[in-house]
PDB file of all heavy atoms in Angstrom:
ATOM      1  N   LYS A 110     -12.356  24.275  15.167  1.00  0.00           N
ATOM      2  CA  LYS A 110     -11.796  24.111  16.506  1.00  0.00           C
ATOM      3  C   LYS A 110     -12.888  24.329  17.551  1.00  0.00           C
ATOM      4  O   LYS A 110     -13.736  25.206  17.360  1.00  0.00           O
ATOM      5  CB  LYS A 110     -10.661  25.107  16.746  1.00  0.00           C
ATOM      6  CG  LYS A 110      -9.475  24.961  15.798  1.00  0.00           C
ATOM      7  CD  LYS A 110      -8.435  26.051  16.070  1.00  0.00           C
ATOM      8  CE  LYS A 110      -7.224  25.923  15.149  1.00  0.00           C
ATOM      9  NZ  LYS A 110      -6.224  26.987  15.388  1.00  0.00           N
ATOM     10  N   PRO A 111     -12.870  23.603  18.661  1.00  0.00           N
ATOM     11  CA  PRO A 111     -12.008  22.453  18.984  1.00  0.00           C
ATOM     12  C   PRO A 111     -12.344  21.264  18.082  1.00  0.00           C
ATOM     13  O   PRO A 111     -13.512  20.965  17.845  1.00  0.00           O
ATOM     14  CB  PRO A 111     -12.320  22.161  20.449  1.00  0.00           C
ATOM     15  CG  PRO A 111     -13.703  22.686  20.641  1.00  0.00           C
ATOM     16  CD  PRO A 111     -13.833  23.884  19.744  1.00  0.00           C
ATOM     17  N   ILE A 112     -11.329  20.621  17.570  1.00  0.00           N
ATOM     18  CA  ILE A 112     -11.495  19.585  16.564  1.00  0.00           C
ATOM     19  C   ILE A 112     -12.047  18.307  17.178  1.00  0.00           C
ATOM     20  O   ILE A 112     -11.580  17.847  18.219  1.00  0.00           O
ATOM     21  CB  ILE A 112     -10.139  19.293  15.889  1.00  0.00           C
ATOM     22  CG1 ILE A 112      -9.560  20.589  15.302  1.00  0.00           C
ATOM     23  CG2 ILE A 112     -10.288  18.242  14.792  1.00  0.00           C
ATOM     24  CD1 ILE A 112      -8.103  20.503  14.947  1.00  0.00           C
ATOM     25  N   GLN A 113     -13.036  17.743  16.503  1.00  0.00           N
ATOM     26  CA  GLN A 113     -13.617  16.468  16.913  1.00  0.00           C
ATOM     27  C   GLN A 113     -13.071  15.361  16.005  1.00  0.00           C
ATOM     28  O   GLN A 113     -12.915  15.568  14.798  1.00  0.00           O
ATOM     29  CB  GLN A 113     -15.146  16.506  16.812  1.00  0.00           C
ATOM     30  CG  GLN A 113     -15.787  17.614  17.628  1.00  0.00           C
ATOM     31  CD  GLN A 113     -15.532  17.450  19.117  1.00  0.00           C
ATOM     32  OE1 GLN A 113     -15.674  16.336  19.666  1.00  0.00           O
ATOM     33  NE2 GLN A 113     -15.149  18.536  19.774  1.00  0.00           N
ATOM     34  N   TYR A 114     -12.820  14.194  16.584  1.00  0.00           N
ATOM     35  CA  TYR A 114     -12.220  13.111  15.801  1.00  0.00           C
ATOM     36  C   TYR A 114     -13.075  12.715  14.608  1.00  0.00           C
ATOM     37  O   TYR A 114     -12.552  12.465  13.518  1.00  0.00           O
ATOM     38  CB  TYR A 114     -11.966  11.885  16.681  1.00  0.00           C
ATOM     39  CG  TYR A 114     -11.407  10.716  15.877  1.00  0.00           C
ATOM     40  CD1 TYR A 114     -10.114  10.763  15.365  1.00  0.00           C
ATOM     41  CD2 TYR A 114     -12.198   9.604  15.587  1.00  0.00           C
ATOM     42  CE1 TYR A 114      -9.600   9.728  14.609  1.00  0.00           C
ATOM     43  CE2 TYR A 114     -11.698   8.551  14.825  1.00  0.00           C
ATOM     44  CZ  TYR A 114     -10.394   8.625  14.336  1.00  0.00           C
ATOM     45  OH  TYR A 114      -9.898   7.601  13.578  1.00  0.00           O
ATOM     46  N   LEU A 115     -14.387  12.663  14.762  1.00  0.00           N
ATOM     47  CA  LEU A 115     -15.248  12.251  13.651  1.00  0.00           C
ATOM     48  C   LEU A 115     -15.166  13.239  12.483  1.00  0.00           C
ATOM     49  O   LEU A 115     -15.254  12.842  11.320  1.00  0.00           O
ATOM     50  CB  LEU A 115     -16.695  12.095  14.121  1.00  0.00           C
ATOM     51  CG  LEU A 115     -16.963  10.905  15.051  1.00  0.00           C
ATOM     52  CD1 LEU A 115     -18.427  10.863  15.466  1.00  0.00           C
ATOM     53  CD2 LEU A 115     -16.573   9.589  14.374  1.00  0.00           C
ATOM     54  N   ASP A 116     -14.996  14.530  12.796  1.00  0.00           N
ATOM     55  CA  ASP A 116     -14.829  15.525  11.731  1.00  0.00           C
ATOM     56  C   ASP A 116     -13.508  15.313  11.004  1.00  0.00           C
ATOM     57  O   ASP A 116     -13.435  15.392   9.770  1.00  0.00           O
ATOM     58  CB  ASP A 116     -14.880  16.941  12.317  1.00  0.00           C
ATOM     59  CG  ASP A 116     -16.252  17.288  12.867  1.00  0.00           C
ATOM     60  OD1 ASP A 116     -17.243  16.696  12.392  1.00  0.00           O
ATOM     61  OD2 ASP A 116     -16.322  18.143  13.765  1.00  0.00           O
ATOM     62  N   LEU A 117     -12.449  15.042  11.787  1.00  0.00           N
ATOM     63  CA  LEU A 117     -11.147  14.770  11.186  1.00  0.00           C
ATOM     64  C   LEU A 117     -11.201  13.521  10.320  1.00  0.00           C
ATOM     65  O   LEU A 117     -10.667  13.489   9.203  1.00  0.00           O
ATOM     66  CB  LEU A 117     -10.099  14.632  12.295  1.00  0.00           C
ATOM     67  CG  LEU A 117      -8.634  14.303  11.962  1.00  0.00           C
ATOM     68  CD1 LEU A 117      -8.402  12.827  11.743  1.00  0.00           C
ATOM     69  CD2 LEU A 117      -8.129  15.116  10.803  1.00  0.00           C
ATOM     70  N   LYS A 118     -11.870  12.497  10.812  1.00  0.00           N
ATOM     71  CA  LYS A 118     -11.982  11.241  10.073  1.00  0.00           C
ATOM     72  C   LYS A 118     -12.685  11.456   8.733  1.00  0.00           C
ATOM     73  O   LYS A 118     -12.267  10.912   7.696  1.00  0.00           O
ATOM     74  CB  LYS A 118     -12.735  10.204  10.904  1.00  0.00           C
ATOM     75  CG  LYS A 118     -12.834   8.835  10.253  1.00  0.00           C
ATOM     76  CD  LYS A 118     -13.507   7.836  11.192  1.00  0.00           C
ATOM     77  CE  LYS A 118     -13.584   6.459  10.546  1.00  0.00           C
ATOM     78  NZ  LYS A 118     -14.227   5.470  11.449  1.00  0.00           N
ATOM     79  N   LYS A 119     -13.730  12.262   8.733  1.00  0.00           N
ATOM     80  CA  LYS A 119     -14.461  12.552   7.497  1.00  0.00           C
ATOM     81  C   LYS A 119     -13.561  13.251   6.483  1.00  0.00           C
ATOM     82  O   LYS A 119     -13.574  12.935   5.289  1.00  0.00           O
ATOM     83  CB  LYS A 119     -15.673  13.435   7.810  1.00  0.00           C
ATOM     84  CG  LYS A 119     -16.580  13.673   6.620  1.00  0.00           C
ATOM     85  CD  LYS A 119     -17.705  14.630   6.983  1.00  0.00           C
ATOM     86  CE  LYS A 119     -18.574  14.077   8.091  1.00  0.00           C
ATOM     87  NZ  LYS A 119     -19.694  14.990   8.408  1.00  0.00           N
ATOM     88  N   MET A 120     -12.743  14.206   6.954  1.00  0.00           N
ATOM     89  CA  MET A 120     -11.833  14.915   6.052  1.00  0.00           C
ATOM     90  C   MET A 120     -10.747  13.974   5.513  1.00  0.00           C
ATOM     91  O   MET A 120     -10.371  14.044   4.344  1.00  0.00           O
ATOM     92  CB  MET A 120     -11.179  16.094   6.774  1.00  0.00           C
ATOM     93  CG  MET A 120     -12.102  17.264   7.033  1.00  0.00           C
ATOM     94  SD  MET A 120     -12.776  17.995   5.520  1.00  0.00           S
ATOM     95  CE  MET A 120     -14.468  17.389   5.604  1.00  0.00           C
ATOM     96  N   MET A 121     -10.253  13.074   6.362  1.00  0.00           N
ATOM     97  CA  MET A 121      -9.233  12.127   5.915  1.00  0.00           C
ATOM     98  C   MET A 121      -9.792  11.196   4.845  1.00  0.00           C
ATOM     99  O   MET A 121      -9.109  10.869   3.865  1.00  0.00           O
ATOM    100  CB  MET A 121      -8.712  11.316   7.097  1.00  0.00           C
ATOM    101  CG  MET A 121      -7.764  12.086   8.012  1.00  0.00           C
ATOM    102  SD  MET A 121      -6.214  12.578   7.196  1.00  0.00           S
ATOM    103  CE  MET A 121      -5.511  10.973   6.779  1.00  0.00           C
ATOM    104  N   GLU A 122     -11.030  10.766   5.014  1.00  0.00           N
ATOM    105  CA  GLU A 122     -11.646   9.887   4.022  1.00  0.00           C
ATOM    106  C   GLU A 122     -11.809  10.602   2.685  1.00  0.00           C
ATOM    107  O   GLU A 122     -11.557  10.027   1.624  1.00  0.00           O
ATOM    108  CB  GLU A 122     -13.001   9.389   4.543  1.00  0.00           C
ATOM    109  CG  GLU A 122     -12.874   8.386   5.691  1.00  0.00           C
ATOM    110  CD  GLU A 122     -14.197   8.057   6.348  1.00  0.00           C
ATOM    111  OE1 GLU A 122     -15.187   8.798   6.095  1.00  0.00           O
ATOM    112  OE2 GLU A 122     -14.251   7.083   7.115  1.00  0.00           O
ATOM    113  N   LYS A 123     -12.215  11.875   2.716  1.00  0.00           N
ATOM    114  CA  LYS A 123     -12.336  12.651   1.477  1.00  0.00           C
ATOM    115  C   LYS A 123     -10.974  12.857   0.826  1.00  0.00           C
ATOM    116  O   LYS A 123     -10.825  12.754  -0.395  1.00  0.00           O
ATOM    117  CB  LYS A 123     -12.989  14.009   1.770  1.00  0.00           C
ATOM    118  CG  LYS A 123     -14.458  13.933   2.135  1.00  0.00           C
ATOM    119  CD  LYS A 123     -15.032  15.298   2.459  1.00  0.00           C
ATOM    120  CE  LYS A 123     -15.081  16.202   1.243  1.00  0.00           C
ATOM    121  NZ  LYS A 123     -15.761  17.489   1.537  1.00  0.00           N
ATOM    122  N   ALA A 124      -9.969  13.135   1.659  1.00  0.00           N
ATOM    123  CA  ALA A 124      -8.616  13.342   1.140  1.00  0.00           C
ATOM    124  C   ALA A 124      -8.078  12.068   0.500  1.00  0.00           C
ATOM    125  O   ALA A 124      -7.405  12.112  -0.539  1.00  0.00           O
ATOM    126  CB  ALA A 124      -7.696  13.803   2.260  1.00  0.00           C
TER     127      ALA A 124
END
Side-chain angles (χ1 to χ4, degrees):
K110 299 177 179 179
I112 304 165
Q113 303 297 314
Y114 177 70
L115 290 179
D116 293 334
L117 178 278
K118 183 176 181 180
K119 186 184 299 182
M120 287 299 106
M121 285 296 298
E122 289 171 346
K123 290 178 67 175

